[in-house]
Amino acid sequence: MSKFIATFFGVGNLPKAPGTWGSLAALPVGYVLHETVGFYGFTIATLAVFLIGWWATAAATKGSDDHDPSEIVIDEVAGQWIALLPVSLGATHAGADMLALWPGWAVAFVGFRLFDIWKPGPVGWADRRGDALGVMLDDVFAGLIAAICVMIGAGISHGLLGV
């Protein structure tokens, strides 16, 4: 069961770039969650995926020398959803369909993948922990940085930053 969760229902077993596949798979699920349970439900689901992912990653890697095998992508799901939270919040406040904020989706996806691969600052620190919590936290931090980029982009597009 832990492997099934850790691979996000097998998505992590896809060939080539499983982290990108995991991030892509997170997008439609995140949209459905936002549409069915709203921003607050989506936020709770994101926290739940983090906690369940931490457990699943620890269980799936127990006794292995590889603390972060490429097929484990539940961390990408948590990080991608964190990056999408400002889009969900914006859609809620605007009373708009979340898809109408497509530039935010693009920034959230590209930003998250960039920071997850590049691993600047706290992302790299978490990755170097070498444990299941580190596996999850590096994507949490990448998601937070991407979310900040989404918020900066939204502020610029609405003239809120004086740019």
Side-chain angles (χ1 to χ4, degrees), residues 25-44:
L27 296 176
V29 177
Y31 174 75
V32 169
L33 279 167
H34 168 84
E35 290 299 308
T36 57
V37 297
F39 170 74
Y40 296 108
F42 182 43
T43 302
I44 291 167

Side-chain angles (χ1 to χ4, degrees), residues 63-115:
S64 172
D65 289 337
D66 188 358
H67 78 281
D68 191 5
S70 61
E71 68 270 10
I72 292 180
V73 296
I74 193 68
D75 51 328
E76 271 80 12
V77 174
Q80 188 63 72
W81 287 359
I82 290 168
L84 282 176
L85 285 173
V87 180
S88 176
L89 182 61
T92 299
H93 281 266
D97 185 292
M98 198 171 161
L99 293 178
L101 304 179
W102 65 266
W105 285 81
V107 172
F109 178 76
V110 172
F112 172 69
R113 291 308 303 141
L114 173 71
F115 298 123

Side-chain angles (χ1 to χ4, degrees), residues 121-131 133-135 137-139 141:
V123 183
W125 168 82
D127 185 61
R128 290 187 297 275
R129 284 180 51 101
D131 61 2
L133 180 58
V135 170
L137 281 179
D138 84 309
D139 290 272
F141 290 136

